[in-house]
Amino acid sequence: MCTGRRKAIYTENIKRRIQPRFELCGGSVALDFVNTLDDRFSDAPKELLNDYVDLARFGEDTGTLADEQVDRLMTRSLQHRDEAKRALASAIQLREAISDIFYALVRKKPVPTAALIILNQHAQEAAQHLGLAPGKRGFEWKFDAQTNDLFAPLWPIARDAAELLASERMEFVRACASKTCEWLFVDESKNHRRRWCDMAKCGNRAKVKRFYRRNQRVI
Ligand SMILES: [Zn+2]
């Protein structure tokens, strides 16, 4: 996991009412979403999405949902618990499909067809809720911020995953080189040689390990 010191480019301009709970160092909403299953490949993965409130909070932290929308969805999730459970289960299904696709590509393995079908379904569902609206620089595709649909947090994630997958940025998607971490991120460094999700944490830990190994040999 990263310390959050490396600010994701897409979250730089968010006006925050509270400090983010999620560590956003993936450089993409979809990759940060995959990283919500922490220590994914260890014997004891840590689930960071334990209820609907966590999912809505991810939307708030990444700026994909407006503050008032987050409040509305959180309140509604308490009144419609079964629907909220379905939305969370669907979000986890989406997350695991994105994970299967991106880790396969990073490891140069075949992309599982089932995962691609799931992402396609989510991306198509998301597209139904997009509309053109005036933005800061002309018109933009925006999701309906007035909706009370509890599945709304999933739409921008599915869209981001689909856009990243079909973009030139895809060749810079990496998994953190720390074997205990392996978080996904887009390497937007100048020379594209970034190895760690966060240098301050995973990078330094690797350096310390190398230092000890070297000294053991000398001794
Ligand atoms: Zn890492």
Side-chain angles (χ1 to χ4, degrees):
M1 67 155 65
C2 75
T3 58
R5 260 181 252 177
R6 177 187 284 276
K7 290 274 186 303
I9 289 166
Y10 73 90
T11 60
E12 260 170 17
N13 297 322
I14 297 175
K15 278 190 194 139
R16 298 190 180 283
R17 55 178 178 175
I18 37 173
Q19 277 300 307
R21 182 200 292 173
F22 291 92
E23 297 180 33
L24 308 171
C25 54
S28 126
V29 175
L31 300 187
D32 281 333
F33 195 57
V34 171
N35 297 339
T36 61
L37 184 63
D38 198 8
D39 300 334
R40 173 177 285 277
F41 300 104
S42 75
D43 294 336
K46 285 191 215 84
E47 178 57 81
L48 306 182
L49 298 179
N50 292 301
D51 54 30
Y52 189 87
V53 169
D54 292 338
L55 179 61
R57 187 63 199 274
F58 180 83
E60 175 164 1
D61 285 1
T62 53
T64 49
L65 300 178
D67 292 351
E68 58 276 11
Q69 190 181 9
V70 171
D71 294 345
R72 241 181 318 114
L73 292 178
M74 282 187 182
T75 307
R76 201 174 150 78
S77 74
L78 300 174
Q79 296 157 345
H80 298 83
R81 289 179 187 272
D82 287 347
E83 184 72 352
K85 264 188 198 162
R86 277 196 290 277
L88 180 65
S90 187
I92 301 285
Q93 181 206 41
L94 170 63
R95 182 186 69 188
E96 295 314 299
I98 299 172
S99 167
D100 287 352
I101 293 167
F102 282 81
Y103 278 110
L105 289 168
V106 164
R107 291 166 180 166
K108 306 204 184 324
K109 299 254 167 68
V111 171
T113 312
L116 202 54
I117 290 171
I118 292 171
L119 176 57
N120 258 317
Q121 285 167 346
H122 281 274
Q124 282 162 10
E125 169 67 25
Q128 312 224 344
H129 301 276
L130 268 180
L132 282 167
K136 282 178 200 141
R137 289 182 297 259
F139 278 82
E140 295 170 2
W141 287 105
K142 284 186 178 172
F143 288 104
D144 176 13
Q146 304 305 318
T147 181
N148 286 325
D149 193 325
L150 289 178
F151 285 71
L154 283 70
W155 305 333
I157 300 167
R159 180 174 158 86
D160 186 67
E163 280 190 341
L164 179 57
L165 198 56
S167 77
E168 289 175 359
R169 293 169 77 216
M170 191 55 225
E171 73 174 287
F172 304 120
V173 173
R174 316 253 187 270
C176 177
S178 162
K179 282 294 154 207
T180 53
C181 174
E182 298 196 60
W183 271 21
L184 292 175
F185 62 89
V186 187
D187 174 11
E188 311 211 67
S189 63
K190 222 175 179 179
N191 54 12
H192 301 295
R193 293 169 102 181
R194 185 177 148 198
R195 296 188 64 208
W196 320 101
C197 69
D198 186 90
M199 188 61 205
K201 195 147 185 175
C202 288
N204 278 348
R205 205 160 44 200
K207 267 192 195 164
V208 169
K209 267 192 202 158
R210 274 203 301 276
F211 173 81
Y212 279 115
R213 272 204 300 272
R214 260 203 315 271
N215 280 1
Q216 273 168 355
R217 275 204 294 275
V218 172
I219 294 160

